[in-house]
Amino acid sequence: MANDSLEIHEAVRDRYGRLALAIQTQESVSCCDAVTSTCCADSIDLYASDTRWLPETVSGLSLGCGDPLALSRLQPGQTVLDLGSGGGIDCFMAARMVGPDGLVIGVDMTPEMIDRANENKNKVGLNNVSFRLGQIESLPVESESVDVIISNCVINLSPDKTAVFREAFRVLKPGGKLAVSDMVTIGQFSAAERADLSAWSECVSGAEDVAAYVTAVRAAGFTEISVREKGRPDTELSMIGDGAGPARLFSAQITAVKPESLREDLFSASNVYFAEVAEEWDTLRSGFFTEEMRDAAIARAQLPLHAVVADIGTGTGFVLQGLLGRAETLVGFDSSPEMLARARLNLDGQDQVTMRLAQGTTLPADDGSFDAVFANMYLHHAPDPAAAIREMARILKPGGKLVITDLDRHDQEWMRAAMADQWLGFERDDVRGWYLDAGLGEIDIDCAEGTCDCSTPSAEAIALGIFVAIARKQ
Ligand SMILES: C[S@@+](CC[C@H](N)C(=O)[O-])C[C@H]1O[C@@H](n2cnc3c(N)ncnc32)[C@H](O)[C@@H]1O
């Protein structure tokens, strides 16, 4: 991409700021100055439901390219989030649908749009809507708090669609739905077209090829993904490959679901255990795994400068804390909301660190996006360790390092019940085989510098061996 994210955000904010001011001064507003696409029809034509009750300052500032409300099937009482809420048209219609027990939040990064939306809110007299200034790439919204996300002709404007879908996934409750109208293409814009900031901010050259769009939605962790062209809704496009040739731009209807399985997983033995011990985990862990062992493993990884590093099964963020100052970007993944809440507290104020609620076998991350992946004492909780290793290898860049520290095979059966361990450690040869199958080479498996000192139920302390397995993605 020829323009950096900052430039794109500035160009987009500038354009929509001007449009928001124009409606105030009664100038005519059109989002389609230079657009010859299906985008930006008159709001009367755009929506299946009645829009005549809306004041002119709302319908006149309708800049969408479709009707996300028709896709969303909103129910009374739901919490809805509108990405890029503009003058608020979709928020107001959603607010009527979810009723007084529901809540609608509109997020927009253009202050003039937030001002217009708040004035419009006073005009329509709906109290269950609020507008927040913020970017859709880093939403000012609590995790797992939203039932349905809608958006109308906005995601195409973002320079970082992967971050948008990752954030959407974070804030949705398990089972929550994404229902979006957006401009997409089949085929590719040239570098010169992409670099044209006015075409970008007019909802043209930021539009992504459908295959790449679906990849970003899937990488965030969504399932049941559907993409249909607004003008030809009978044909499902989510499975088509990369479009060849010049871009054909069109308005699309995109839906996807955040899987329920995370919720089901909350009742797995591991998640029940970690929900119970999250508060005291740091104390418990320090008894059997030392900072020295962690730091020795980190040193052996020989991270490159400015490394982007993941920690799988991050728990309360122990490994991330050891990586502070040694990596530029850090992401912790864990399936326990309670452990992640502690990790957020432990790493409060560290802007380079983010947390993602995730299953180890479907990490919400792009292929080849990390310089190193760490997993400390996670593998023996993974239902399928070989699949977990394959998934960690998937998100490594070629040449990136996987660093797993875990227990050597042992016979302390009581640990399954007491600590929800799925596996009583591992044979190092098994780990080596899983690494090879996952496309990793230069495998080095050695003793970690120390042992895991556990107290047994009979209060007798035992020392279990710990290995550190380092390898490079080929
Ligand atoms: C084409 S308008 C659509 C507005 C509204 N959804 C509608 O249908 O009328 C795009 C809106 O998205 C906002 N926007 C664009 N990129 C954004 C981003 N990265 N974060 C937050 N808001 C963004 C703009 O400020 C603008 O209000």
Side-chain angles (χ1 to χ4, degrees):
M1 191 161 60
N3 304 292
D4 70 10
S5 298
L6 222 62
E7 272 184 302
I8 291 174
H9 277 153
E10 269 171 25
V12 170
R13 200 181 280 113
D14 178 63
R15 171 177 166 78
Y16 292 97
R18 280 188 286 109
L19 289 173
L21 288 175
I23 190 96
Q24 210 184 17
T25 52
Q26 300 296 311
E27 289 172 31
S28 70
V29 170
S30 159
C31 85
C32 315
D33 302 349
V35 186
T36 48
S37 71
T38 49
C39 158
C40 316
D42 193 301
S43 67
I44 303 292
D45 303 331
L46 214 47
Y47 292 97
S49 45
D50 184 16
T51 56
R52 284 168 302 183
W53 60 280
L54 290 162
E56 174 58 20
T57 49
V58 176
S59 47
L61 198 51
S62 165
L63 302 172
C65 56
D67 181 2
L69 299 154
L71 306 172
S72 62
R73 305 216 178 99
L74 296 182
Q75 302 295 323
Q78 285 185 317
T79 299
V80 180
L81 171 67
D82 183 13
L83 305 181
S85 43
I89 184 162
D90 294 305
C91 290
F92 300 129
M93 295 214 282
R96 272 203 168 179
M97 294 173 181
V98 298
D101 294 334
L103 175 70
V104 181
I105 303 163
V107 170
D108 204 290
M109 68 170 183
T110 305
E112 294 86 346
M113 280 293 186
I114 294 289
D115 291 346
R116 280 310 76 72
N118 278 320
E119 288 160 15
N120 285 333
K121 176 185 164 179
N122 290 335
K123 281 190 196 161
V124 296
L126 286 163
N127 295 323
N128 57 346
V129 191
S130 70
F131 295 100
R132 299 183 188 172
L133 184 67
Q135 294 188 351
I136 59 175
E137 296 87 351
S138 54
L139 286 166
V141 177
E142 206 184 312
S143 300
E144 305 215 337
S145 60
V146 172
D147 295 297
V148 180
I149 292 183
I150 57 171
S151 182
N152 203 345
C153 213
V154 177
I155 298 171
N156 70 85
L157 295 167
S158 170
D160 188 353
K161 277 110 178 139
T162 302
V164 174
F165 293 120
R166 191 172 62 228
E167 277 291 272
F169 190 86
R170 176 183 67 77
V171 303
L172 275 176
K173 298 175 188 171
K177 186 172 178 183
L178 185 73
V180 165
S181 293
D182 202 6
M183 300 306 292
V184 298
T185 65
I186 291 180
Q188 316 292 333
F189 284 115
S190 66
E193 286 168 325
R194 288 267 193 227
D196 179 347
L197 286 177
S198 17
W200 189 294
S201 47
E202 285 159 4
C203 304
V204 179
S205 58
E208 202 66 71
D209 179 61
V210 171
Y213 199 98
V214 169
T215 300
V217 178
R218 186 169 293 121
F222 284 100
T223 53
E224 299 177 46
I225 303 166
S226 165
V227 179
R228 286 166 190 267
E229 183 166 349
K230 181 170 159 262
R232 298 181 216 168
D234 291 341
T235 312
E236 177 56 57
L237 299 175
S238 59
M239 302 303 279
I240 62 170
D242 287 344
R248 180 175 75 80
L249 180 70
F250 58 92
S251 172
Q253 306 169 332
I254 299 111
T255 54
V257 172
K258 175 168 174 172
E260 286 276 1
S261 60
L262 280 175
R263 182 183 287 161
E264 282 158 24
D265 199 60
L266 293 180
F267 303 104
S268 74
S270 266
N271 266 50
V272 169
Y273 171 73
F274 285 113
E276 278 169 8
V277 300
E279 294 288 304
E280 48 180 334
W281 181 252
D282 284 332
T283 318
L284 281 175
R285 193 225 45 251
S286 64
F288 52 75
F289 195 92
T290 64
E291 289 184 9
E292 288 71 33
M293 275 190 267
R294 171 196 70 188
D295 295 343
I298 291 173
R300 285 171 72 156
Q302 295 181 332
L303 296 176
L305 276 179
H306 313 298
V308 180
V309 180
D311 178 28
I312 315 303
T314 194
T316 55
F318 175 60
V319 172
L320 295 176
Q321 289 171 70
L323 285 162
L324 288 175
R326 297 170 193 242
E328 193 163 281
T329 305
L330 292 164
V331 186
F333 296 84
D334 206 288
S335 61
S336 164
E338 291 82 3
M339 293 292 267
L340 282 182
R342 292 302 300 179
R344 288 195 179 96
L345 283 178
N346 284 340
L347 289 145
D348 190 29
Q350 302 289 344
D351 292 341
Q352 74 279 35
V353 185
T354 50
M355 305 293 167
R356 298 185 197 162
L357 184 68
Q359 295 284 17
T361 42
T362 49
L363 296 170
D366 284 343
D367 294 359
S369 49
F370 288 92
D371 294 299
V373 174
F374 284 77
N376 179 44
M377 296 293 159
Y378 151 71
L379 202 63
H380 67 263
H381 290 287
D384 181 346
I389 288 173
R390 277 198 302 278
E391 183 65 355
M392 292 189 259
R394 178 187 69 76
I395 67 169
L396 273 177
K397 295 178 186 171
K401 297 255 185 79
L402 179 61
V403 184
I404 294 183
T405 32
D406 215 294
L407 295 174
D408 282 315
R409 181 93 180 92
H410 62 82
D411 57 5
Q412 302 297 313
E413 193 61 44
W414 60 272
M415 288 174 75
R416 290 192 204 268
M419 301 165 93
D421 290 6
Q422 297 255 359
W423 300 92
L424 300 182
F426 301 100
E427 299 292 348
R428 295 184 189 182
D429 279 347
D430 287 341
V431 176
R432 185 180 298 279
W434 295 329
Y435 270 37
L436 284 172
D437 289 347
L440 300 163
E442 300 175 37
I443 302 168
D444 175 20
I445 306 183
D446 205 344
C447 293
E449 292 171 18
T451 54
C452 179
D453 297 316
C454 313
S455 303
T456 67
S458 60
E460 163 204 344
I462 46 150
L464 301 176
I466 298 178
F467 66 84
V468 48
I470 302 191
R472 192 187 285 280
K473 183 166 172 177
Q474 300 301 291

